[in-house]
Amino acid sequence: MTTEDGKADYDVLIIGAGIAGMYMLHRLREIGLTTRVLEAGTDVGGTWYWNRYPGARFDSESYSYGYSFSKELLEEWEWSEHFSPQPENLRYCNFVADKFGLRRDMDFNSKVTAAHFNDIANLWTLETEDGKHRTARFLITAIGVFAKPMMPAIDGIDSFKGEAYHTATWPHEQVSFEGKRVGVIGTGATAVQLIQEVAKTAGHLTVFQRTPNWCAPLHNRPITAEEQKEIKTSYEEIFAKCRASYAGFMHDSDRRRALQVSDEERQAFYEKLYREPGFGIWMGNFRDMLVDERANTTISEFVAGKIRERVKDPAIAEKLVPTNHGFGTRRVPMETHYYEVYNQDNVMLVDLRETPITRIMEAGIETSDEMHEFDMIVYATGFDAVTGGYSQIDIRGSGGRTLTDKWADGVRTFLGLQIEGFPNMFTLVGPHNAASFCNIPRCIEQNVDWMADLMTRVKADELNRIESTAEAEEEWTEHVHLMAQRMLFSKTNSWFTGINSNIEGRDQRSVLLYAGGAPGYRDKCDEVAAADYAGMILH
Ligand code: NA7
């Protein structure tokens, strides 16, 4: 593993100490590769480190979310709720880091600003914000899909004099809403979790909604002692179920088509799904629900009915019913009494389609018809999702070509794990990777295990350079596009399709996610490995 001009600092540098970076480090250590993780935060946890806003929790069953690789870990750790809250999730990440001694190979407060590949020496040089440089033969990004929070592009945003927070950079100290006038911008999965909490204690809460989403009940509850025992003995089945499912969840689609059954049967099935915990209503629904518009309309109408039942004021209920997309074609926010919040006297819904925000001022938010004064504004405005984490690092591959330039006309990858022209760089949970649309840890483990096999080969054969061919990239990218085309989500605007109103030029849909399902994706990765990494050149 030496280079022409000496030895690289490490065999592998990993960016990110979240679920993916932690497990990748663990596997590379086992292989005996020197590895360093660079993390912008002050500790491990990734998503669960940054997104500390009240209400943040899993939408996956807790026991289907944790790592599966260590029997001992599964035995030792106990989740307290079926859908665990952020503080516990972060404790879990810390528990794993302690158990496997991960921190000794991690540098915190080390935000990577640049990563340049040297074609002659075949190594990557990474620069961090503090000006330090580190080199490695291989670079593995483990930055997730939500690495770059987005503030809304609204005039006067810096002039507000009260407290202001973005949900993804939430303070480590307790934030109190008690008696305050709070404004929340956004109604995505994050906002829905947060709003339920703020409404409990705020003096007054104003929600600024631009696009209503189809939310579904989470039905969270504590795990009883009996259930705990049951969970411990059924981990194998739980993970097998996730492994067989389209997106790594404990829910997989029903084999029937929506219109194949009678109206009564369909209605009864929807009622059952609505009563059940978790993503069943999204991932365990009729098989054609996310691909056939007629099937999709039936579930949309059902959920619209539920919203109208739950929200007392019919005018407010109508504002909360989505009109421009069908159920499940954007990320389904999971909720606990979310709709009932709008029955409270201290909560007001502002529909930005009727009265858009004109600017933010010292005292609050001005819309086209009113000035709303606040003590606190919370921006639940999401992320520059999927690719944003890459664009904020100056990544240059072979011949100094930037990744921004490479992806200027659209994302292209091989398996969502490598990019032609960027040798020795691998993207865990990258765009076009099944992990970007998955119960993420399940797909992370697949990504990492596959990488670990490749790195075992690197070590055994003393490989210096691995790159994907342009043909392999072309073929995979075409396949990803084909898979996306059949899904209804590709016809709607959301982070799934790369739309972001806060970034100039991001008003055209693109294909970022792999919609072919996790099992098919795993098979394809295994095929590539079995064919001696067909599509990649190993030197
Ligand atoms: P999302 O799902 O991207 O939601 C962002 C929300 O913020 C959404 O309601 C947006 O409305 C709204 N938004 C964004 N910019 C503005 C401006 N400028 N004005 C008004 N409203 C705005 O992000 P989340 O954090 O909720 O969820 C991201 C993922 O994290 C989620 O899918 C989970 O997988 C975990 P819009 O819909 O664009 O009209």
Side-chain angles (χ1 to χ4, degrees):
M1 305 292 283
T2 53
T3 60
E4 274 180 16
D5 55 351
K7 206 176 179 328
D9 297 333
Y10 304 98
D11 294 326
V12 186
L13 278 167
I14 298 173
I15 308 178
I19 305 280
M22 287 166 66
Y23 181 43
M24 191 75 248
L25 168 64
H26 176 67
R27 292 299 316 268
L28 291 174
R29 272 183 182 171
E30 283 177 344
I31 297 167
L33 293 171
T34 59
T35 306
R36 198 85 192 157
V37 177
L38 304 179
E39 165 59 50
T42 59
D43 210 337
V44 296
T47 286
W48 304 110
Y49 170 89
W50 295 104
N51 292 270
R52 294 165 186 251
Y53 61 88
R57 66 172 66 246
F58 292 154
D59 288 332
S60 311
E61 284 73 6
S62 310
Y63 26 91
S64 79
Y65 189 97
Y67 292 112
S68 74
F69 70 86
S70 160
K71 283 218 163 67
E72 218 178 83
L73 176 62
L74 289 169
E75 195 46 51
E76 285 168 6
W77 180 261
E78 295 198 344
W79 299 104
S80 62
E81 298 178 43
H82 284 269
F83 301 89
S84 170
Q86 177 273 337
E88 184 165 313
N89 307 344
L90 190 56
R91 273 201 300 282
Y92 173 73
C93 294
N94 279 283
F95 183 81
V96 175
D98 290 343
K99 180 171 173 62
F100 298 101
L102 298 178
R103 286 192 192 80
R104 69 172 188 271
D105 288 320
M106 293 179 166
D107 289 332
F108 297 105
N109 294 307
S110 299
K111 190 177 168 67
V112 176
T113 51
H116 294 178
F117 184 67
N118 180 326
D119 261 317
I120 298 159
N122 286 325
L123 60 79
W124 282 92
T125 303
L126 268 60
E127 186 177 272
T128 42
E129 215 165 35
D130 55 9
K132 273 194 196 154
H133 291 87
R134 298 166 182 82
T135 57
R137 176 75 70 214
F138 294 96
L139 164 61
I140 299 181
T141 61
I143 57 179
V145 277
F146 302 120
K148 187 178 174 192
M150 280 309 296
M151 289 293 276
I154 302 174
D155 284 346
I157 197 154
D158 296 325
S159 58
F160 180 61
K161 288 279 183 266
E163 294 171 76
Y165 309 105
H166 189 288
T167 48
T169 48
W170 199 260
H172 291 203
E173 306 74 44
Q174 187 93 19
V175 172
S176 165
F177 308 114
E178 191 79 43
K180 291 180 185 164
R181 297 165 305 167
V182 182
V184 173
I185 302 182
T187 49
T190 297
V192 167
Q193 290 187 331
L194 171 90
I195 287 165
Q196 298 161 179
E197 294 306 311
V198 181
K200 287 178 186 165
T201 56
H204 193 271
L205 164 64
T206 308
V207 176
F208 293 89
Q209 169 187 269
R210 189 167 58 185
T211 313
N213 282 303
W214 296 102
C215 312
L218 181 65
H219 297 302
N220 181 37
R221 59 185 175 80
I223 293 175
T224 64
E226 207 154 297
E227 284 171 336
Q228 197 71 256
K229 271 194 234 144
E230 164 95 25
I231 289 165
K232 290 274 175 79
T233 54
S234 22
Y235 268 124
E236 257 177 54
E237 291 104 89
I238 291 170
F239 293 127
K241 208 168 181 179
C242 294
R243 214 177 133 77
S245 78
Y246 173 79
F249 290 100
M250 289 174 70
H251 314 274
D252 203 8
S253 59
D254 189 283
R255 296 326 293 157
R256 295 169 299 169
R257 293 177 193 279
L259 298 172
Q260 179 190 328
V261 302
S262 68
D263 290 355
E264 294 72 37
E265 207 177 322
R266 192 167 49 248
Q267 214 55 19
F269 183 52
Y270 290 160
E271 287 288 354
K272 173 177 166 289
L273 291 173
Y274 203 76
R275 275 195 309 270
E276 284 175 355
F279 272 148
I281 196 161
W282 191 21
M283 296 292 162
N285 214 312
F286 292 115
R287 61 188 286 203
D288 53 350
M289 207 261 291
L290 300 176
V291 293
D292 180 332
E293 225 142 315
R294 286 179 321 149
N296 188 266
T297 302
T298 63
I299 183 71
S300 299
E301 281 172 357
F302 172 83
V303 179
K306 289 292 178 194
I307 299 171
R308 292 181 184 119
E309 267 171 37
R310 292 173 59 184
V311 179
K312 285 192 193 135
D313 181 332
I316 296 174
E318 262 354 276
K319 290 185 204 295
L320 289 163
V321 174
T323 51
N324 66 353
H325 67 282
F327 179 86
T329 62
R330 292 164 47 116
R331 208 295 200 170
V332 176
M334 300 305 283
E335 50 90 19
T336 306
H337 308 309
Y338 172 68
Y339 289 112
E340 286 72 17
V341 158
Y342 296 99
N343 298 333
Q344 289 179 212
D345 293 338
N346 67 334
V347 178
M348 174 186 180
L349 179 67
V350 174
D351 188 336
L352 298 179
R353 293 167 299 185
E354 293 168 3
T355 54
I357 295 175
T358 43
R359 60 186 165 154
I360 295 180
M361 301 171 73
E362 265 188 36
I365 298 174
E366 184 192 72
T367 58
S368 58
D369 73 334
E370 206 180 324
M371 176 67 200
H372 302 265
E373 295 197 356
F374 296 117
D375 302 306
M376 183 194 297
I377 297 177
V378 181
Y379 300 100
T381 45
F383 304 83
D384 179 1
V386 191
T387 51
Y390 300 90
S391 63
Q392 64 184 357
I393 303 171
D394 173 20
I395 301 176
R396 293 172 194 233
S398 188
R401 186 173 190 192
T402 65
L403 186 58
T404 311
D405 177 48
K406 162 94 190 186
W407 282 350
D409 298 326
V411 166
R412 282 179 290 143
T413 77
F414 180 49
L415 300 178
L417 278 165
Q418 225 197 0
I419 302 150
E420 183 267 334
F422 293 76
N424 293 4
M425 171 175 149
F426 298 91
T427 54
L428 300 175
V429 199
H432 292 182
N433 182 313
S436 56
F437 189 65
C438 189
N439 179 14
I440 286 190
R442 298 285 61 78
C443 289
I444 280 176
E445 285 189 334
Q446 179 275 338
N447 272 206
V448 170
D449 291 342
W450 188 88
M451 276 308 304
D453 287 347
L454 180 58
M455 287 295 142
T456 304
R457 174 76 186 277
V458 162
K459 172 110 172 136
D461 293 357
E462 296 185 4
L463 299 175
N464 281 319
R465 183 166 168 135
I466 301 177
E467 52 200 316
S468 298
T469 66
E471 296 73 42
E473 183 179 81
E474 182 73 29
E475 201 180 308
W476 179 252
T477 303
E478 255 177 45
H479 171 66
V480 173
H481 282 236
L482 198 69
M483 291 293 109
Q485 267 167 28
R486 63 194 187 112
M487 306 296 292
L488 294 175
F489 80 68
S490 62
K491 300 185 184 78
T492 63
N493 292 350
S494 79
W495 68 260
F496 284 4
T497 47
I499 298 290
N500 197 314
S501 71
N502 301 309
I503 306 172
E504 231 183 278
R506 288 279 292 280
D507 51 359
Q508 299 298 315
R509 290 180 200 139
S510 53
V511 178
L512 300 177
L513 307 185
Y514 181 63
Y521 176 80
R522 187 175 56 236
D523 289 348
K524 176 70 190 173
C525 289
D526 290 349
E527 250 172 55
V528 167
D532 200 24
Y533 297 97
M536 300 165 105
I537 304 167
L538 276 52
H539 309 265

